């Protein structure tokens, strides 16, 4: 098997730098994928800097992968050489527990195998992600990319798309519902597009006044500057659902008070430091809920891709070269991304 060229962080304090590894052998149900594009998720940065305290170094991040099939195992039936496919955050799970049987592999009770920083269920090796020239993935965890979608713009759907689609779908967002999306980053901008396509009345909450115009262009009916208490107060008790994508610790009460009776705010952002505990009073007086949601299962990810194909939805991307990744991380920390960096993996191939 060809050596794989990649970018890895060697420890929490180092920048990402060129790295090579020998991929595992192609197994019977595997698909070998030449990576074309890989989105840059804020989780990649959290992991590369060990902010969740579970990173195994060296780490090769990247779980928004779109590529071309270059080989398949002897018993692989779902894909053939030449297909344009996607890989998201999961590459395996136990397949036996209740969650797996219900197509909710992300909640696998025996722990799903992450696309990177996971542990291969056969060899025990640590998995490496999409900042790589190729990946090898079991066919059951490979997704089909709708033909009408631009492959680079589709890459972020594999994490940012499904992580917002899944809770919007689960909490039944649609016509007649007033929905808030907090944070206009990678996840948030997909949340705005998807909630709009689902037919809801969408309100974007942003800390960045410079994003007001974009918020409306992307599908928000209203944009609220969350630092402006007066603007916030105008929406008290009115939201059916709020999806909070913020990647940093912040005050949750300012959003909880905007929920109507029985409303829910679902957190998908995973900041390094937890949020301060919200006020119990704000929850009990209107039977409001705070919830969490993790990416989405494989079946639902394919449904999301097909939904995006039908509505012609892709991510607004800024394409970068592989060696621009460290600068991209710094810009992501300043909320300066419009609205997802995507790495052109040909630039890694050319350098190798
Ligand atoms: P991102 O592109 O950096 O976007 C985060 C946005 O949050 C920023 O653009 C900014 O939007 C807002 N923000 C940042 N700092 C803030 C602060 N201090 N106060 C208020 N707002 C702030 O990140 P992302 O890739 O969308 O990821 C967001 C989070 O979701 C990360 O923590 C990531 O690890 C997590 N995640 C979770 C899952 C899951 O399954 N649950 C999946 C993927 C990612 P404005 O400029 O509009 O305010
Ligand atoms: Zn992600
Ligand atoms: Zn399982």
């Amino acid at each position: 098997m060809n050596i794989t060229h990649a970018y890895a962080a060697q420890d929490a304090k180092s920048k990402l730098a060129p790295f090579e590894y020998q991929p595992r052998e192609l197994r019977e149900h595997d698909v070998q994928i030449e990576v074309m594009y890989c989105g840059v998720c804020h989780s990649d940065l959290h992991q590369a800097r060990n902010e969740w305290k579970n990173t195994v170094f060296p780490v090769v991040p990247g779980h928004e992968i779109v590529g071309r099939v270059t080989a398949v195992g002897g018993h692989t039936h779902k894909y053939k050489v030449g297909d344009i496919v996607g890989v998201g955050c999961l590459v395996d799970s136990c397949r036996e527990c209740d969650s797996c049987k219900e197509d909710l592999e992300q909640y696998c009770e025996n722990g799903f195998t992450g696309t990177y920083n996971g542990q291969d269920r056969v060899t025990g090796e640590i998995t490496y992600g999409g900042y790589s020239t190729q990946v090898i993935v079991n066919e059951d965890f490979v997704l089909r990319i709708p033909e009408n979608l631009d492959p680079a713009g589709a890459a972020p759907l594999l994490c940012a798309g499904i992580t917002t689609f899944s809770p919007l779908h689960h909490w039944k967002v649609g016509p007649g519902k007033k929905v808030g999306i907090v944070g206009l980053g990678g996840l948030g901008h997909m949340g705005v597009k998807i909630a709009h396509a689902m037919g809801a009345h969408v309100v974007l909450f942003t800390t960045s006044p410079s994003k007001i115009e974009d918020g409306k262009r992307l599908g928000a009916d209203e944009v609220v500057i969350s630092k402006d208490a007066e603007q916030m107060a105008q929406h008290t008790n009115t939201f059916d659902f709020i999806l909070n994508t913020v990647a940093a610790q912040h005050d949750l009460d300012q959003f909880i008070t905007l929920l109507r009776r029985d409303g829910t705010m679902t957190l998908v952002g995973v900041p390094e430091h937890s949020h301060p505990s919200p006020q119990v009073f704000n929850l009990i007086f209107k039977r409001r809920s705070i919830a969490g949601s993790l990416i989405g299962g494989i079946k639902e990810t394919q449904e999301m891709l097909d939904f995006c194909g039908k509505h012609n939805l892709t991510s607004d991307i800024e394409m970068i070269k592989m060696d621009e990744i460290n600068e991209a991380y710094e810009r992501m920390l300043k909320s300066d991304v419009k609205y997802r960096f995507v790495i052109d993996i040909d630039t890694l191939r050319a350098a190798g």
Side-chain angles (χ1 to χ4, degrees):
M1 193 69 65
N2 294 336
I3 201 88
T4 303
H5 297 281
Y7 256 55
Q10 294 291 341
D11 58 65
K13 301 273 177 240
S14 307
K15 291 185 168 178
L16 272 73
F19 174 72
E20 287 179 358
Y21 64 91
Q22 191 69 40
R24 67 170 157 86
E25 289 299 314
L26 198 66
R27 298 198 283 255
E28 285 191 332
H29 289 279
D30 278 349
V31 179
Q32 180 185 293
I33 301 160
E34 175 185 82
V35 181
M36 296 157 67
Y37 302 105
C38 186
V40 179
C41 180
H42 207 113
S43 302
D44 299 350
L45 187 159
H46 291 308
Q47 290 271 21
R49 299 187 178 180
N50 199 18
E51 291 178 2
W52 296 337
K53 310 288 177 241
N54 68 350
T55 307
V56 181
F57 291 99
V59 62
V60 176
H63 57 208
E64 294 186 335
I65 302 167
V66 168
R68 193 178 288 106
V69 176
T70 45
V72 295
H75 288 94
T76 298
H77 303 296
K78 295 181 182 163
Y79 300 97
K80 59 178 192 319
V81 171
D83 287 353
I84 302 294
V85 296
V87 178
C89 305
L90 316 172
V91 289
D92 206 356
S93 68
C94 87
R95 302 163 187 242
E96 287 171 356
C97 72
D98 289 348
S99 295
C100 283
K101 283 184 187 154
E102 288 175 50
D103 295 312
L104 296 167
E105 301 88 357
Q106 76 275 34
Y107 301 116
C108 174
E109 280 131 63
N110 297 303
F112 68 79
T113 306
T115 302
Y116 63 84
N117 202 48
Q119 202 175 9
D120 184 89
R121 284 186 134 75
V122 177
T123 65
E125 288 169 300
I126 298 300
T127 54
Y128 292 141
Y131 298 5
S132 291
T133 48
Q134 63 169 349
V135 290
I136 293 174
V137 180
N138 183 287
E139 62 176 335
D140 294 334
F141 287 77
V142 174
L143 286 307
R144 201 168 288 285
I145 306 296
E147 277 175 16
N148 60 315
L149 297 183
D150 164 50
L157 301 179
L158 278 307
C159 176
I162 184 59
T163 303
T164 49
F165 179 90
S166 182
L168 290 168
H169 189 234
H170 182 78
W171 275 276
K172 302 187 169 51
V173 162
K177 295 284 171 73
K178 182 171 172 183
V179 174
I181 305 288
V182 188
L184 196 67
L187 267 58
H189 94 291
M190 286 315 306
V192 167
K193 289 188 184 204
I194 292 170
H196 174 74
M198 287 173 168
H201 180 87
V202 182
V203 181
L204 167 69
F205 294 98
T206 178
T207 59
S208 311
S210 62
K211 296 181 184 174
I212 294 175
E213 288 302 308
D214 278 350
K216 290 187 177 159
R217 175 179 59 78
L218 295 166
D221 298 285
E222 300 174 63
V223 179
V224 173
I225 302 299
S226 53
K227 290 176 184 161
D228 182 335
E230 243 173 70
Q231 279 189 45
M232 292 290 277
Q234 285 169 15
H235 292 269
T236 304
N237 296 337
T238 60
F239 282 87
D240 296 286
F241 184 70
I242 296 178
L243 183 64
N244 188 327
T245 75
V246 174
Q249 184 187 52
H250 64 284
D251 167 29
L252 300 180
D253 282 313
Q254 57 170 334
F255 298 108
I256 293 169
T257 53
L258 306 189
L259 293 169
R260 55 186 297 166
R261 176 176 52 77
D262 290 322
T264 299
M265 174 159 78
T266 295
L267 307 176
V268 287
V270 194
E272 179 180 9
H273 305 288
S274 264
H275 307 296
S277 174
Q279 294 275 337
V280 173
F281 272 98
N282 286 335
L283 295 169
I284 63 176
F285 271 82
K286 293 212 176 288
R287 201 163 55 187
R288 294 162 170 144
S289 306
I290 302 180
S293 182
L294 180 66
I295 38 181
I298 296 299
K299 183 163 176 262
E300 193 178 32
T301 304
Q302 191 62 60
E303 283 166 16
M304 175 278 305
L305 287 167
D306 296 343
F307 176 91
C308 290
K310 188 175 153 207
H311 293 273
N312 218 359
L313 296 183
T314 50
S315 175
D316 282 31
I317 65 165
E318 181 176 337
M319 192 91 84
I320 59 167
K321 300 191 187 98
M322 187 72 253
D323 64 8
E324 292 170 333
I325 187 67
N326 294 299
E327 194 189 324
Y329 278 9
E330 292 311 315
R331 282 184 54 195
M332 188 149 67
L333 284 175
K334 292 185 215 141
S335 303
D336 175 25
V337 192
K338 291 191 173 165
Y339 279 91
R340 194 58 136 189
F341 291 118
V342 170
I343 308 160
D344 176 356
I345 297 294
D346 271 346
T347 62
L348 174 60
R349 218 167 268 117

